[in-house]
Each structure stands twice: as C-alpha cells, then as structure tokens.
Amino acid sequence: MEFLAQSILPYILLYKYWAIFIITLLSSLALPVPAGSLLIASAAFASQGYFNIIILVIVAVAANIVGDNGLYWLTRMYGRKVLYRIGFLRKIITSRNFVLIEKRVSTRPGFVIFITRFEVLATLTGNIISGLGKVPYRKFLLFEALGSLASVLFYTMMGYFFGDSWQAVNNLIGNFSIVFFLAIAVAVALFWKKIIANLSKES
Amino acid sequence: MKHLTPQQKKFLKIAGVVLLILVCLLSLVSFIRSFKTLYRAGELQPEYIQDREERRSGDSGTSVQQTHRVVTTIDTIRPWMTFNYLTVVFKLPPLYLKDTLAITDPRYPNIRIDRYIKQYTLDPNLFMQSVQQAIRSYSATGK
C-alpha cells in the first residue's frame, strides 16, 4: 500500500485522467501495476471532489478496452509465431489439454471473457487464449467491454462509497481475491480429470 | 519428474493439492479476521459528512462539501500529496497556500509537497506542520 501511495498516487494527482488512462492501459498490457487499487484510490479522490466519477469510469473503461483489444490482436496475429519459438510455451500450447481449453473458449467465450476482467492475471490469460483461439472479434469486444465496465464500476464504487476508508477496503478486496482464486485453483486441481474429460466429450 | 515412479508422482500430486487447500484455508481465516477487525472498527461503513463530523467533533480541519461526500482531515495530509489536491479537497482559494507559505515555485499548484521540500531543502516536519496550520486557520476563520 505504501508503494502505491508513494509511487503511483502522486502521478494520479498530478496528471489526473491521463495518468489513470496510461496506468490502466499498461496494466491490461501485462505490466505488473495494481490497477484495481489505483481505481479504488482514484474513486476515493472523486468522492472528495478531486475527480469527476463519471469521467473517471469512462477513462478507465476506455483504457481497459484499448489494452485488452491490443493484446487480443497481438496474440491473434503474432501469438503462435512467437510462442512456438519458446520451448516450454510451445509444449504448453500444443498440449492436448490446452487445445481443448482453447476450443472451449472459442466456441463459448462469453462467460470466460466477462469473468476474467475482474483479476489482472486472469484478464491476461483470457486475452491471450481468446487471441490464440481466434475468438470472433465482435463477441470478444462485446463481452470484454461488458466485463470491463462491470469490473471498473465495482472498484470505483468501492472507492467512492467508502471514501477515506479506501485503504482498508482495498486490503480486504486483495485478501478476498487471494482466497477466491486459491479456491478456484483447488477446485481445478481436484476436478482436473473431470474437466478435461468433459471438454473432450464436448469437442 | 521423469525419474519418479507413478506412485511417487501420485503422492506429489496429492501433497500439492493438500498444500493448496491448506493455503486456501489459511487465507480464508486471515480474510475473515481482517474483515471482523475492520467491521468492528467501523471502517466498512460508508461515511457521510455528518457522521464523520460528529465522530471527530472538535476537529476543525474538516472540509465540508456536498452532503453525500466524505471528508478529509488535516491529519491525513501526506507529503506525496500535491498543493492542488489540498486546495480542491479543503476548498481553499487557488492561491491561498502559495501566499500563506510564500511558495515561489512556478509549478504551483501542480507539485508534490515532498518534491517541493526536497528542492528547496526545507525541514519536512516543519513544512508539513505549516501546511496543516495554514489549512487549519483557513477552516477556522475562512481567510
């Protein structure tokens, strides 16, 4: 939290919406920036009158859309060429399980694309798999935009309504996401064979 | 992994899943604990100006804005904040801090307090106190 306050928040205060746009964009392009925390903090500033909350939401959603679409098109056009050159990644993307997951995402992308917008690493994975699997662009754009809007609204509303308790709320959301994603990891680990068997049946 | 027998591999997989479950449970416990602590401290309730003012009665450093908005107190001013931010949040006249603190930097109000302190080799504690004092006196007198 101290890192966020010392190194990112001053830029938000100095460059306002430009800083929010650039930092959110970098985060959706795979750079390790705490975009969720940043949105919560910015919305807390909005609740104090420093930002306009509507402009803040529009800027953050736009940045997410630009970043996610950029990554989607990059992986769609050059993803395979690049990944085939890296030994262990080539193994992963040519594995039977990855092909099954990719196929599943390509045929029914809506839910996966929407839900992955709420966590940075999941968003990256979702964008890469969508690009590699050549998910129809219109579908990707629709669910990506809806997911981005929902996640930005979630984070900004937290910051806006909890105001100067935003640091406490941010820590709590951080703890909750850890629990949530660990629980998903446990479920996937426990039911991996079943999941793969189901995917094989579907395909 | 190649040198392991199937039984050893299975054991490793099970151990991995058990470890994952344990970490998950520990994080859950930590989450519940921090939730309880914050809830009891009243940090998880949206605060409104009236509530905050009642709770912090006697604190003259509140900036009253629209009724649904939260307030910032002088105690929460930090060196990474900018003069512009303080001017907006505490509803000060645009040049108030510049005149009161005799700031000559042309970048005012878009400059971080800590950068300003560093650039002009000022005493950080003393300068922060004078910023707080300036805002306090404006809140008290409106001048």
Side-chain angles (χ1 to χ4, degrees):
Chain A
M1 191 50 58
E2 206 49 36
F3 163 78
L4 183 76
Q6 294 288 337
S7 44
I8 298 179
L9 294 186
Y11 291 101
I12 300 292
L13 294 182
L14 281 172
Y15 304 107
K16 296 188 170 182
Y17 301 108
W18 282 109
I20 292 167
F21 185 87
I22 289 168
I23 294 170
T24 314
L25 179 74
L26 291 179
S27 133
S28 60
L29 284 174
L31 265 91
V33 188
S37 308
L38 166 89
L39 277 180
I40 293 175
S42 306
F45 295 152
S47 76
Q48 296 166 333
Y50 194 69
F51 288 122
N52 180 317
I53 189 72
I54 295 169
I55 299 177
L56 176 70
V57 170
I58 293 171
V59 167
V61 172
N64 272 332
I65 291 177
V66 172
D68 290 345
N69 281 273
L71 196 61
Y72 167 84
W73 279 109
L74 276 176
T75 46
R76 185 173 168 147
M77 291 195 294
Y78 307 109
R80 282 195 188 277
K81 284 179 203 164
V82 174
L83 295 178
Y84 267 114
R85 289 184 186 172
I86 306 166
F88 77 99
L89 287 176
R90 186 174 55 214
K91 265 189 184 174
I92 293 174
I93 63 167
T94 51
S95 69
R96 183 175 160 269
N97 293 347
F98 186 85
V99 172
L100 285 172
I101 292 168
E102 195 184 72
K103 214 172 185 181
R104 170 70 174 75
V105 174
S106 319
T107 48
R108 276 183 281 168
F111 180 72
V112 175
I113 294 173
F114 182 87
I115 205 73
T116 50
R117 301 304 106 181
F118 287 82
E119 210 277 330
V120 180
L121 284 177
T123 306
L124 288 176
T125 317
N127 292 343
I128 291 171
I129 292 179
S130 303
L132 289 176
K134 297 195 174 169
V135 169
Y137 181 62
R138 278 187 186 175
K139 266 190 186 174
F140 176 81
L141 183 62
L142 174 69
F143 290 107
E144 189 276 326
L146 285 175
S148 290
L149 180 66
S151 77
V152 166
L153 279 177
F154 170 75
Y155 286 115
T156 47
M157 289 306 108
M158 284 289 170
Y160 193 74
F161 288 112
F162 286 101
D164 53 4
S165 299
W166 70 269
Q167 296 196 23
V169 174
N170 184 37
N171 286 341
L172 206 62
I173 291 175
N175 285 349
F176 178 74
S177 348
I178 292 173
V179 174
F180 183 73
F181 284 99
L182 276 174
I184 288 180
V186 168
V188 169
L190 286 176
F191 301 108
W192 181 245
K193 280 188 180 172
K194 256 193 178 177
I195 293 168
I196 293 298
N198 280 345
L199 289 176
S200 307
K201 258 188 200 174
E202 277 180 25
S203 69
Chain B
M1 284 292 270
K2 281 177 185 172
H3 309 292
L4 299 174
T5 63
Q7 274 180 332
Q8 285 171 323
K9 278 184 186 174
K10 199 175 180 183
F11 173 77
L12 275 180
K13 274 182 190 171
I14 293 170
V17 172
V18 170
L19 192 70
L20 207 57
I21 293 171
L22 279 177
V23 175
C24 186
L25 286 175
L26 281 175
S27 326
L28 186 67
V29 170
S30 145
F31 168 71
I32 292 169
R33 272 191 183 171
S34 53
F35 182 86
K36 270 185 179 172
T37 314
L38 291 172
Y39 190 80
R40 279 180 196 149
E43 293 278 359
L44 296 180
Q45 291 156 6
E47 286 186 311
Y48 299 89
I49 282 177
Q50 296 92 330
D51 305 339
R52 187 70 60 89
E53 278 181 329
E54 276 169 24
R55 196 156 60 83
R56 294 181 185 170
S57 56
D59 182 348
S60 59
T62 49
S63 69
V64 181
Q65 299 168 8
Q66 291 172 25
T67 48
H68 68 281
R69 287 189 169 163
V70 295
V71 291
T72 297
T73 63
I74 290 170
D75 304 328
T76 59
I77 295 175
R78 295 287 177 267
W80 54 263
M81 295 175 176
T82 63
F83 293 109
N84 188 29
Y85 174 71
L86 298 182
T87 302
V88 172
V89 169
F90 290 100
K91 296 258 171 192
L92 305 171
L95 295 177
Y96 175 76
L97 287 175
K98 188 181 184 193
D99 296 340
T100 314
L101 303 168
I103 295 169
T104 50
D105 195 295
R107 289 169 295 173
Y108 177 90
N110 287 316
I111 180 169
R112 288 168 62 162
I113 299 174
D114 54 0
R115 291 275 160 84
Y116 179 79
I117 289 171
K118 203 175 172 186
Q119 192 173 340
Y120 292 90
T121 51
L122 302 168
D123 181 288
N125 291 331
L126 211 62
F127 190 76
M128 288 303 291
Q129 278 170 15
S130 50
V131 170
Q132 291 174 337
Q133 191 49 46
I135 298 171
R136 219 168 253 137
S137 62
Y138 182 82
S139 302
T141 60
K143 286 177 188 173

